[in-house]
Amino acid sequence: MCLYTDGRKIRMRAVVTAVLMMVSFSALAQRAVGLRVGGGSSFIAEFSYQFAFQQEQRALTDTWWQRITRKTTLSPISAADRIEFGLGFGSTLSSFSESVNYMNFCVVYQWHNALTRRAGWYVGPGAYLSFHQFDERSLLALGIGGQLGVDYTFRFPLQVSADFRPMIRLIGGSYGLGWGIAIGCRYMIDSDKK
């Protein structure tokens, strides 16, 4: 299924929607903003926004009811599960060797696991919506996939990461697996200063 439409209108609506979503989450604590750059099946430069949350610590004596009713609280990025939003721009070559430019909006839920006090690894499911421009036509695509990566948070408010993000296109254009390896650098708005 292909959906061709006026690319400028779709790109503008997507940018406005993504910015509004990111601004609406900016009221939450424990967030990080930065860039994610990489390559693979295509090159991408992505604005990255994360916010974290984690369940309260549970005691060994907690009852099953206490575990079910436990509240979720915000927590430092370096030690919590999180959601990452990405607004990216990139280019690739089509199967006909024509240049294709695209804009990509991605959302990934990441289960974060500590390796040390400041280093960790994460994995989780995600989805993306992209708008491709080629031959004066535009294409809307939708896909699902996941992300696997490692990160390190410094004592000062900086986080660096490296990740692998495979995605499968479900709607729009040629179907199949796309993948990317990227490095990220993010400023910790509410850093864990321990």
Side-chain angles (χ1 to χ4, degrees):
M1 175 181 156
C2 291
L3 175 61
Y4 294 99
T5 183
D6 182 8
R8 286 175 291 195
K9 288 181 183 177
I10 286 183
R11 280 194 307 272
M12 183 55 93
R13 287 181 188 156
V15 168
V16 169
T17 301
V19 169
L20 288 175
M21 287 179 70
M22 290 178 192
V23 168
S24 67
F25 283 109
S26 67
L28 296 171
Q30 284 71 38
R31 52 201 191 277
V33 295
L35 294 175
R36 183 179 170 274
V37 179
S41 57
S42 61
F43 169 79
I44 191 165
E46 183 176 279
F47 172 75
S48 175
Y49 176 83
Q50 296 177 337
F51 72 94
F53 52 94
Q54 183 177 32
Q55 288 192 343
E56 296 171 358
Q57 295 291 330
R58 63 181 179 199
L60 294 175
T61 57
D62 281 357
T63 66
W64 65 272
W65 178 251
Q66 288 170 320
R67 291 181 184 145
I68 291 173
T69 59
R70 187 173 321 285
K71 293 181 180 177
T72 297
T73 57
L74 294 172
S75 160
I77 294 276
S78 60
D81 295 349
R82 61 191 172 213
I83 294 178
E84 180 176 347
F85 294 99
L87 179 61
F89 301 89
S91 63
T92 188
L93 289 176
S94 73
S95 56
F96 302 107
S97 296
E98 58 187 350
S99 178
V100 178
N101 297 314
Y102 64 91
M103 183 179 67
N104 186 25
F105 179 68
C106 185
V107 178
V108 180
Y109 184 91
Q110 300 167 346
W111 290 286
H112 196 272
N113 303 283
L115 294 172
T116 67
R117 185 175 189 140
R118 300 212 160 264
W121 67 276
Y122 53 92
V123 64
Y128 77 91
L129 179 66
S130 66
F131 307 94
H132 299 257
Q133 178 87 37
F134 58 97
D135 286 343
E136 299 182 11
R137 293 181 297 167
S138 294
L139 172 68
L140 175 66
L142 176 69
I144 59 170
Q147 189 174 29
L148 172 66
V150 293
D151 63 13
Y152 184 82
T153 304
F154 295 94
R155 286 190 175 273
F156 49 94
L158 182 69
Q159 175 202 72
V160 292
S161 66
D163 64 68
F164 172 66
R165 188 188 283 174
M167 293 283 183
I168 298 172
R169 184 180 294 183
L170 301 176
I171 298 173
S174 59
Y175 307 102
L177 178 67
W179 60 276
I181 297 174
I183 57 172
C185 185
R186 297 172 190 87
Y187 171 72
M188 310 295 290
I189 298 171
D190 301 296
S191 61
D192 179 11
K193 302 187 191 285
K194 294 179 182 177

